[in-house]
Amino acid sequence: MLKLQAASLDWALAHVQWYGDTDVFPVPFEYDAIEHDWVNVKASLLDADVLQWTTRPQRILLSPKNKTGFRVITQLDPLDFIVFASLVREIAAELETRRVPVPENRVFSYRAAPLADGQLFSPVTGYRQFLDECSKKLRANPRTLFVATTDISDFYARIYHHRLENALHTATTKTNHVRAIMQLLSGWNGTETFGIPIGSAPARLLAESTLADVDEALLAAGVDFIRFNDDYRIFAETYEQGYRAVTYLAETLYRNHGLQLQPQKTKVYQVEAFRQKFLVTPLDREMDSLHEKFEQLADELGLNDWYEPIEYDDLDDDQKAAIDSLNLAELFREELQEDEPELPILRFVLRRLSQLGDGTLVDDIISSLDKLHTALPDICRYIQSLRHLDPVGKSALGARMLTLLSGSVVSELPYHRMWILDLFVHSREWDNESKFFALYGTETDPACRRNLILAMGRAHQAHWFQSQWRTLFDQPHWPRRALLAGGSCMPPDARRHWYRSVESQLDVLELAVMRWARQHPFL
């Protein structure tokens, strides 16, 4: 038997509230319901034997990895995620101890440093420090004339479960935790014995544990390397030495884990060519400058969080001048003129303008989706942030977004359609409510249909929900919870009767949704 600790469950909920459950899907409304009913949900989870936990359906979609590449992404059921995150939290310290120590400046990705507020990873060790260490090593050793670069092909998707299990058993004495984690992975993956969830923080720590033995093997072989996630840099005095190290890495990855290197990203560079390509690119300089300027501005404004809204009209003249000097909109437009615009710059600008609620770029974005579609989640968050548009402007923009659901580059993937429809899940301010029912009739993807259910609830289409209650339990878990939430738009008596009639058949998460919806009806 294995039961989770109360502090771990509290941490897992805090983690979702602060960091989200994944960086590739919108955060499900269920977490608001779980927080509202935490006393009951937590009691149920504390009582559960996690070794007997039955996984629930996850959401699986194809998303763009770059302009022409794709990857499969997953979003776990909210209760599964809380259980998974809690399990990983309880062994995080041991997993971290098993890795190459931070002071050795070898591994810079996802260093476990949990805090009660939901933090899992250290905020002071990351990709920027990885790049800085490259420069330091080149300055420190003039005999380094070559740098090999490579990364692992389809890393998360190809992690073999039995090899991950061996890595976890090596790192922790909590064998029941390992057993429970492997049972969760098996439940999510069915007959497949490889792959871990993509986009969630707890899964990242598992992936790091998988590579711990590879890091040790490289060090034992005298390979001078640093790593961020699946991205390696190997420092050598000769081309042959660099090539030999990459060969050893490839052999170790395949022999220990059945993993392979990406051939198109594997190369041995002369130092100057490496510097030009990876360390002193115009993009790096521009991004460093932008981040530095915004950090200074954030300090001046007293922001606790980089993503706090900023009311431009409330700033003093110097602060307005500092924002204006960034020329964010113009920077975005200049980047759009490039054949291959740099997405890090575009995303940075979108996130900063989101804070300001500045709608300057809407027309540029919609007319350039052929170049921007891989950044659609950032675009949708940007549009949701436009708090200064009047109702007529929001209605018109909502209509423009709905037209993208057919005949556009972002209409092809359900992933993109889901993000567009998410705009209408949270409020009625984007109007166009008369179109939802017809869209529901033609939409085939479950994630998109779920968003339309929630949108119809926001739109107070009570007549539709009144026709659904008899078939509630014919629906899979995700749309069933959307129906329970959206049904709160019905008149109080009808809503009360519906909830009372189904209450005895609801599971713990559905009960939380119902209780939350009773207190927070879609009005």
Side-chain angles (χ1 to χ4, degrees):
M1 177 177 288
L2 175 62
K3 295 196 174 185
L4 295 169
Q5 300 170 15
S8 301
L9 292 169
D10 288 336
W11 175 88
L13 180 60
H15 176 81
V16 172
Q17 290 169 328
W18 190 250
Y19 300 97
D21 61 335
T22 168
D23 55 11
V24 289
F25 280 87
V27 177
F29 76 88
E30 283 89 339
Y31 289 109
D32 290 331
I34 289 170
E35 180 186 10
H36 173 80
D37 197 37
W38 186 231
V39 170
N40 292 310
V41 174
K42 181 179 176 181
S44 175
L45 295 177
L46 284 171
D47 190 52
D49 177 3
V50 185
L51 293 175
Q52 303 300 318
W53 186 265
T54 301
T55 56
R56 299 146 69 93
Q58 59 183 329
R59 303 210 284 182
I60 303 174
L61 286 175
L62 188 69
S63 82
K65 189 173 184 180
N66 49 47
K67 191 171 182 179
T68 55
F70 302 91
R71 63 176 177 171
V72 174
I73 58 171
T74 57
Q75 185 170 44
L76 303 179
D77 175 274
L79 288 188
D80 279 5
F81 179 82
I82 288 177
V83 169
F84 178 49
S86 299
L87 284 167
V88 173
R89 168 65 184 89
E90 290 183 3
I91 62 172
E94 290 175 273
L95 298 185
E96 179 60 33
T97 300
R98 176 71 176 79
R99 301 169 65 189
V100 176
V102 172
E104 293 191 20
N105 291 322
R106 293 287 181 186
V107 179
F108 292 85
S109 46
Y110 310 120
R111 305 308 307 229
L115 296 178
D117 67 359
Q119 174 183 295
L120 180 56
F121 301 126
S122 167
V124 297
T125 304
Y127 192 70
R128 172 48 56 190
Q129 289 71 36
F130 169 72
L131 293 180
D132 290 344
E133 183 63 18
C134 285
S135 299
K136 290 177 184 176
K137 291 182 76 66
L138 295 178
R139 290 195 302 268
N141 187 359
R143 292 183 298 176
T144 297
L145 300 178
F146 293 88
V147 181
T149 68
T150 189
D151 66 20
I152 302 170
S153 179
D154 297 324
F155 178 34
Y156 282 38
R158 304 308 304 177
I159 291 176
Y160 281 92
H161 289 178
H162 73 276
R163 286 160 172 155
L164 169 61
E165 184 175 11
N166 290 340
L168 295 179
H169 277 306
T170 302
T172 178
T173 59
K174 296 176 180 174
T175 56
N176 276 344
H177 283 71
V178 176
R179 181 181 165 196
I181 288 170
M182 301 315 299
Q183 287 179 181
L184 289 176
L185 294 175
S186 178
W188 295 325
N189 287 36
T191 58
E192 294 181 345
T193 58
F194 53 86
I196 63 176
I198 294 173
S200 78
R204 292 185 179 115
L205 189 53
L206 298 186
E208 290 294 323
S209 298
T210 303
L211 293 180
D213 66 320
V214 179
D215 296 335
E216 290 178 344
L218 291 174
L219 290 174
V223 176
D224 188 6
F225 81 99
I226 62 174
R227 177 173 69 80
F228 183 89
N229 195 17
D230 60 349
D231 196 357
Y232 288 85
R233 303 285 186 264
I234 297 171
F235 302 86
E237 296 181 10
T238 66
Y239 180 92
E240 291 75 16
Q241 184 185 32
Y243 181 78
R244 188 184 313 120
V246 170
T247 301
Y248 181 75
L249 171 60
E251 289 177 345
T252 304
L253 282 168
Y254 184 75
R255 184 176 61 250
N256 290 13
H257 299 287
L259 297 170
Q260 297 182 359
L261 297 176
Q262 288 201 50
Q264 65 273 28
K265 292 188 177 180
T266 301
K267 187 171 181 179
V268 181
Y269 291 90
Q270 290 185 337
V271 163
E272 191 54 37
F274 171 78
R275 279 197 178 103
Q276 291 299 320
K277 186 171 179 63
F278 293 97
L279 298 183
V280 292
T281 65
L283 173 62
D284 285 331
R285 286 195 295 267
E286 190 149 25
M287 289 304 297
D288 283 347
S289 175
L290 286 170
H291 277 272
E292 182 178 349
K293 289 178 181 177
F294 194 81
E295 281 180 350
Q296 293 173 353
L297 181 62
D299 286 342
E300 290 177 12
L301 298 179
L303 299 183
N304 296 317
D305 175 12
W306 259 44
Y307 300 105
E308 282 186 41
I310 298 172
E311 292 297 340
Y312 183 84
D313 291 340
D314 294 340
L315 304 180
D316 62 36
D317 290 342
D318 289 340
Q319 292 166 339
K320 288 179 180 178
I323 286 181
D324 294 343
S325 70
L326 295 176
N327 294 320
L328 292 172
E330 190 57 35
L331 175 62
F332 191 94
R333 293 185 178 113
E334 288 176 2
E335 196 61 37
L336 278 183
Q337 299 306 309
E338 301 293 331
D339 291 336
E340 296 288 340
E342 296 286 357
L343 286 179
I345 288 181
L346 299 180
R347 287 188 169 117
F348 178 89
V349 172
L350 287 172
R351 291 171 183 175
R352 301 289 76 78
L353 290 181
S354 294
Q355 288 178 264
L356 295 164
D358 184 332
T360 303
L361 292 175
V362 168
D363 290 337
D364 302 89
I365 288 168
I366 293 178
S367 64
S368 303
L369 283 174
D370 58 327
K371 293 184 176 181
L372 296 174
H373 61 87
T374 55
L376 189 71
D378 296 282
I379 291 169
C380 291
R381 294 187 189 103
Y382 165 67
I383 288 173
Q384 284 179 333
S385 75
L386 301 181
R387 54 192 180 274
H388 301 309
L389 285 179
D390 61 25
V392 173
K394 286 195 171 182
S395 176
L397 182 51
R400 293 180 74 182
M401 295 300 291
L402 289 179
T403 62
L404 298 176
L405 295 175
S406 62
S408 75
V409 68
V410 294
S411 67
E412 301 302 322
L413 281 181
Y415 175 77
H416 284 150
R417 301 199 302 274
M418 173 197 68
W419 270 103
I420 290 170
L421 290 169
D422 188 66
L423 186 68
F424 301 88
V425 164
H426 306 286
S427 78
R428 303 185 67 178
E429 60 188 352
W430 303 101
D431 198 19
N432 295 278
E433 297 167 352
S434 62
K435 302 172 183 176
F436 298 158
F437 181 76
L439 288 169
Y440 186 80
T442 58
E443 179 58 68
T444 59
D445 179 76
C448 298
R449 286 171 66 85
R450 171 181 147 104
N451 276 359
L452 284 165
I453 291 171
L454 294 168
M456 286 191 283
R458 290 290 179 201
H460 293 178
Q461 296 181 6
H463 60 283
W464 185 82
F465 288 91
Q466 288 171 333
S467 70
Q468 300 298 312
W469 71 272
R470 288 187 179 87
T471 60
L472 178 69
F473 294 101
D474 295 335
Q475 295 279 358
H477 287 279
W478 288 84
R480 187 188 309 166
R481 295 193 296 262
L483 283 168
L484 286 168
S488 64
C489 73
M490 293 189 294
D493 287 344
R495 178 171 71 235
R496 192 178 306 112
H497 172 71
W498 186 32
Y499 286 156
R500 189 182 299 121
S501 69
V502 301
E503 186 169 0
S504 63
Q505 302 174 70
L506 302 180
D507 66 26
V508 63
L509 181 52
E510 293 162 356
L511 282 169
V513 168
M514 182 196 68
R515 290 166 181 151
W516 171 74
R518 277 174 168 163
Q519 296 298 315
H520 303 86
F522 284 23
L523 298 176

